[in-house]
Amino acid sequence: MPIVERTANQLVIHHSQFSFKRLLWQVVVIALGVGLLLWSGPAKLDCQRSQPNQVTCQLSKPGWLGLARWRQRAIRNLQGVTLNRYVDDGVFYQVILRTSDGDLPLRPYQTSGLDNTRKTVVQIERFLNDPTANRLSVAQVDWVQWFVLLPGVCMLLGGGKSLHNTLFNIRTKAIESYRFDQEQNQVIYQYGGLFRQRQQHYPFSTIQRLILDLDQSAAAWLLLELRSGDLLCLNRRANQLERQTFRGSNWQELQPLADEMSRLLRRPWQLTVGFSSKWLQAQVLRHKRASGIARFFGISLEPPTIWIFDRSSRTILQQKGQAITTYPLKQITDVQVTPVGEPLQKQDSDGSTYYEANYQLSLVLSTEKRLVVQAFSSHEYNWHPHHIRGTAAQEQAEEMAQRIRAYVADG
């Protein structure tokens, strides 16, 4: 999310989803897939006998699993066939057609398949030695060609889908930008394709609050909540739903932006925990395929428990559904990270051993009440309880605790 303009009265951040380099790479992947599919088919030899000693043939190279033919070559007079054997880091074979114009390989390369090549040679010899046989159709298929069939299909389908998304972005929202304009007292959201741009205007008076949120992995989200209840996620593209959508950004990247936006909006940003879940749930409801991606990342569709730390009102709000509980910010005496039991040794479906580590982050109040804000869990491979390296759950909990301590101390 680069800053493209920053002045005393304006801040412009920009998302770009179109890249000529990406477009070129997608075309290359599709071309490779087409090439592999063109190559994955049998070499076919069709012959007919016009006179007892005159055999004319048509040699077709493989194409589209044998459904199409390309590089056809006419053979005026087929006189015989031989099977050549080559020894070079292995034994390889090649079918050679003897014609009136010289020798011609059935395949331009050698293969290790003896049974396949020998069967082809026997069929051709049987036709040439039988004057009563009028037609011959024989195909030689190598296992190497079928081996590249799956990669070819994957490249063609995957590249085609990516190219479709890129062309769709060119037409719709290839470019997105947010302009915070203090002179006009509004946020201008500009979006559109390369050839058509649109704008939406959000006056500062319609903005309820600016939020810097921490999710369950301690990643950061920068959100604008409007008085209408709508949420604008400034560090995520609005028009494309993908796995990357469910991941937060780096705190060090977003905090300076939040500070600059607060200056222009003339109000402090709020620190929250779990508020981004509301935006993610809204994305899931708008896209049918999003629920599967949400399950992959463990995103719950239940109403989340949200913690809001507000310097301006000097309060902490715990919001669960419609229920809201308020605590004075000055009552926080400590932010603690504690383990929940001992790490449990388990095995996954592949039989590999791992440890399940669980931690929780709590607020300790002056009334000696403890409020559990967030639970953290991680699976640790190549790790044991006395390892010098901490678990991912502990590191995430400590990072979130550090952000809360700093926010409370500055307030």
Side-chain angles (χ1 to χ4, degrees):
M1 188 174 57
I3 298 176
V4 295
E5 183 181 345
R6 177 188 290 170
T7 64
N9 299 317
Q10 285 190 355
L11 174 70
V12 182
I13 58 176
H14 173 76
H15 289 300
S16 178
Q17 294 180 245
F18 177 72
S19 168
F20 283 103
K21 183 178 180 181
R22 183 188 303 172
L23 178 62
L24 178 61
W25 175 245
Q26 290 164 351
V27 172
V28 169
V29 170
I30 292 176
L32 288 175
V34 171
L36 290 176
L37 290 179
L38 284 174
W39 189 63
S40 57
K44 195 169 185 182
L45 183 68
D46 293 300
C47 301
Q48 68 177 31
R49 192 187 303 274
S50 55
Q51 298 179 9
N53 296 324
Q54 185 71 28
V55 175
T56 58
C57 302
Q58 190 81 13
L59 177 61
S60 303
K61 297 300 182 182
W64 289 102
L65 313 178
L67 300 178
R69 300 181 185 182
W70 60 299
R71 292 187 183 178
Q72 294 186 350
R73 178 170 180 174
I75 300 176
R76 297 179 182 177
N77 188 13
L78 180 62
Q79 299 175 346
V81 60
T82 58
L83 180 61
N84 287 358
R85 181 173 180 269
Y86 305 90
V87 179
D88 183 14
D89 294 331
V91 181
F92 301 93
Y93 304 91
Q94 188 175 35
V95 177
I96 303 297
L97 304 175
R98 291 189 287 109
T99 73
S100 57
D101 297 326
D103 292 345
L104 178 67
L106 182 63
R107 286 284 195 185
Y109 54 86
Q110 305 159 13
T111 178
S112 59
L114 174 60
D115 293 339
N116 185 32
T117 52
R118 184 162 52 191
K119 180 180 178 181
T120 301
V121 170
V122 169
Q123 289 177 306
I124 296 174
E125 287 180 337
R126 186 178 300 160
F127 172 76
L128 293 175
N129 295 331
D130 184 2
T132 62
N134 295 324
R135 293 184 178 277
L136 169 70
S137 181
V138 63
Q140 183 184 1
V141 183
D142 295 330
W143 66 269
V144 178
Q145 293 176 293
W146 299 121
F147 184 76
V148 302
L149 174 61
L150 181 59
V153 172
C154 292
M155 286 182 178
L156 182 60
L157 295 180
K161 183 177 183 299
S162 298
L163 182 61
H164 172 269
N165 291 338
T166 298
L167 297 177
F168 177 78
N169 290 335
I170 293 175
R171 186 173 60 87
T172 55
K173 293 184 180 177
I175 298 173
E176 292 183 280
S177 68
Y178 291 90
R179 178 185 297 272
F180 289 75
D181 194 323
Q182 198 175 55
E183 294 180 349
Q184 300 184 37
N185 286 319
Q186 62 180 346
V187 179
I188 303 171
Y189 171 47
Q190 184 169 347
Y191 65 95
L194 296 180
F195 311 108
R196 185 182 180 185
Q197 297 288 315
R198 298 179 180 178
Q199 288 186 352
Q200 291 180 3
H201 298 259
Y202 303 98
F204 286 173
S205 59
T206 64
I207 297 175
Q208 179 75 20
R209 52 187 162 182
L210 174 64
I211 297 169
L212 195 52
D213 182 73
L214 293 170
D215 63 16
Q216 59 186 357
S217 63
W221 299 74
L222 189 56
L223 302 159
L224 276 180
E225 184 184 28
L226 305 180
R227 296 191 185 278
S228 62
D230 293 334
L231 285 174
L232 304 179
C233 186
L234 304 184
N235 61 312
R236 282 288 168 259
R237 303 180 184 118
N239 69 303
Q240 188 176 22
L241 188 68
E242 52 190 13
R243 290 183 176 181
Q244 191 66 26
T245 302
F246 295 92
R247 295 176 181 172
S249 301
N250 185 278
W251 175 276
Q252 286 77 10
E253 175 189 359
L254 296 187
Q255 184 183 356
L257 284 175
D259 292 337
E260 186 68 15
M261 293 174 188
S262 293
R263 182 185 67 81
L264 295 172
L265 293 172
R266 300 186 183 94
R267 70 188 72 177
W269 55 267
Q270 294 180 355
L271 176 68
T272 65
V273 175
F275 208 98
S276 55
S277 298
K278 292 181 64 175
W279 182 80
L280 289 172
Q281 289 182 5
Q283 303 307 301
V284 170
L285 294 175
R286 285 195 304 171
H287 299 80
K288 294 181 179 179
R289 67 184 179 90
S291 58
I293 305 177
R295 286 194 298 269
F296 179 84
F297 282 97
I299 304 297
S300 175
L301 300 183
E302 298 296 324
T305 299
I306 299 172
W307 292 84
I308 303 173
F309 299 82
D310 189 357
R311 287 175 183 162
S312 58
S313 63
R314 306 290 300 167
T315 58
I316 309 168
L317 278 72
Q318 180 189 18
Q319 181 179 346
K320 188 171 184 179
Q322 300 297 324
I324 298 177
T325 308
T326 304
Y327 304 93
L329 193 63
K330 64 181 181 180
Q331 284 191 359
I332 298 179
T333 60
D334 196 9
V335 181
Q336 293 184 350
V337 174
T338 55
V340 180
E342 296 294 329
L344 300 177
Q345 184 175 350
K346 297 183 177 181
Q347 285 190 335
D348 60 18
S349 57
D350 296 329
S352 301
T353 301
Y354 69 91
Y355 281 88
E356 181 182 299
N358 296 282
Y359 286 80
Q360 66 181 16
L361 183 149
S362 305
L363 303 178
V364 181
L365 305 184
S366 56
T367 59
E368 298 185 357
K369 186 175 183 179
R370 183 182 295 271
L371 306 175
V372 177
V373 175
Q374 183 72 47
F376 299 85
S377 181
S378 64
H379 293 176
E380 305 294 331
Y381 291 85
N382 302 318
W383 183 87
H384 54 80
H386 303 290
H387 202 287
I388 189 174
R389 174 179 63 85
T391 65
Q394 182 181 8
E395 292 174 354
Q396 291 168 359
E398 291 289 356
E399 182 175 354
M400 182 178 289
Q402 178 185 351
R403 307 304 175 200
I404 296 176
R405 294 186 192 110
Y407 186 85
V408 172
D410 292 343

